[in-house]
Amino acid sequence: MKSFKYTLSIFTLLFIVSCAQEQSSVSNESGPIYKGPFYNEFLACNAGPKFEDGIQEMLSEWQKLQPAEGLSWAGVYAPVGDNHRFSNGWWELEWDSQESSDNAFSNPSPEFLAWSEKYADVMTCDIEGRFPWTFYLPRDPGSFGEVMGENGYFASEFLACNFKDGKASQDLRAAVVQFNEYLDVNGSENPYFFGVYYPEFEEADADFLWGNWHASFESMKLGNADWEENGKAMQAKFDEISSCISPDYYDSYELYNDPSS
């Protein structure tokens, strides 16, 4: 899998897709939600024997396909670093509902089937083993500038977390409200946004997944250094609620974003 990681980190290979069950901004007693909940699916993807020579063409041809109804965003993730929970890459899908996802995979277009067959030796993804999550976007992703670069690249950090005894999602929501207040005061000199995923599958080994997204790993490093210096009090509040394992890092690329979503 080394070549898979290496090639994805060099070329524009990630695609992420998220789907929204509700697109409007909302707020409630537990605090504000900028957008959500969304219906997100992750597909595990593995490189084939023709990966290095064919992946750019494969993804370029995918971008030419007519998007499935209900699809709002698409991209890919390639693992970065040696201390990583997964050796495979990921395809994340964002739909406007689970029904749209089920319909797209149950009734694929002839063009999609031809594309899939043509590039079967380049990369394959586990369509039947999709991992669904409910996703919340607690803050405008453009608060500190555009994260996605001209070629769609961005750097991702994911932390798998479990609630401590007596804590639950409403406690995390309250902490997120405080985190937004912290960001309002401390701001960021580099593009950054974050989100929270809750699993919708029984075998999940985490109560929630926290995602941090930056324009690059360099800007991520600067942001983390600032957090270590200025975010100790806020980190302590998160630590009261949950414990998280070491993060996984990904080279990430956006391939599709529905402007109307």
Side-chain angles (χ1 to χ4, degrees):
M1 300 308 298
K2 181 178 180 180
S3 62
F4 178 62
K5 297 181 185 179
Y6 177 74
T7 308
L8 271 178
S9 67
I10 292 184
F11 299 110
T12 307
L13 304 183
L14 270 191
F15 67 88
I16 305 171
V17 187
S18 307
C19 30
Q21 295 174 326
E22 179 181 356
Q23 291 296 329
S24 58
S25 299
V26 297
S27 61
N28 56 31
E29 295 177 356
S30 299
I33 303 170
Y34 176 69
K35 283 186 177 181
F38 297 85
Y39 184 76
N40 287 37
E41 294 178 308
F42 286 89
L43 288 74
C45 300
N46 291 294
K50 298 182 179 179
F51 179 86
E52 294 190 28
D53 294 331
I55 187 60
Q56 285 185 299
E57 178 184 318
M58 175 186 177
L59 296 181
S60 177
E61 290 300 310
W62 180 88
Q63 290 178 301
K64 297 176 183 178
L65 298 175
Q66 178 67 30
E69 184 175 354
L71 182 64
S72 59
W73 189 85
V76 291
Y77 297 96
V80 172
D82 296 328
N83 297 322
H84 208 281
R85 289 194 298 157
F86 307 102
S87 60
N88 58 274
W90 296 98
W91 181 343
E92 186 185 1
L93 306 174
E94 179 178 306
W95 308 90
D96 59 9
S97 68
Q98 180 180 350
E99 289 72 21
S100 291
S101 169
D102 290 343
N103 183 63
F105 284 108
S106 298
N107 304 285
S109 68
E111 292 79 12
F112 175 83
L113 291 175
W115 169 85
S116 180
E117 181 177 356
K118 180 179 180 179
Y119 295 104
D121 289 338
V122 176
M123 186 171 70
T124 58
C125 299
D126 186 1
I127 292 177
E128 297 300 324
R130 306 191 302 276
F131 296 98
W133 301 75
T134 295
F135 173 68
Y136 290 91
L137 185 63
R139 188 183 184 92
D140 182 352
S143 294
F144 305 111
E146 180 61 43
V147 170
M148 280 68 171
E150 291 184 3
N151 65 349
Y153 178 83
F154 60 104
S156 299
E157 177 185 41
F158 284 94
L159 296 92
C161 307
N162 284 292
F163 289 116
K164 293 185 175 179
D165 289 345
K167 301 298 182 180
S169 58
Q170 61 267 27
D171 300 296
L172 179 61
R173 176 78 62 80
V176 167
V177 173
Q178 294 177 302
F179 183 49
N180 271 332
E181 294 171 351
Y182 167 87
L183 292 175
D184 289 338
V185 174
N186 291 273
S188 176
E189 296 182 357
N190 300 288
Y192 164 76
F193 71 100
F194 68 99
V196 180
Y197 299 76
Y198 291 99
E200 297 295 338
F201 54 100
E202 294 182 357
E203 64 272 24
D205 59 359
D207 292 328
F208 68 92
L209 193 65
W210 180 285
N212 290 313
W213 296 290
H214 299 258
S216 67
F217 281 106
E218 181 179 355
S219 63
M220 180 188 293
K221 183 178 180 179
L222 293 173
N224 288 344
D226 180 81
W227 174 254
E228 290 177 5
E229 180 178 352
N230 300 309
K232 292 183 176 63
M234 188 66 241
Q235 181 64 61
K237 294 178 181 179
F238 282 124
D239 291 342
E240 292 177 1
I241 298 167
S242 63
S243 57
C244 305
I245 64 174
S246 298
D248 289 325
Y249 300 101
Y250 295 89
D251 281 322
S252 316
Y253 295 88
E254 179 184 74
L255 294 185
Y256 174 74
N257 191 345
D258 182 356
S260 65
S261 64

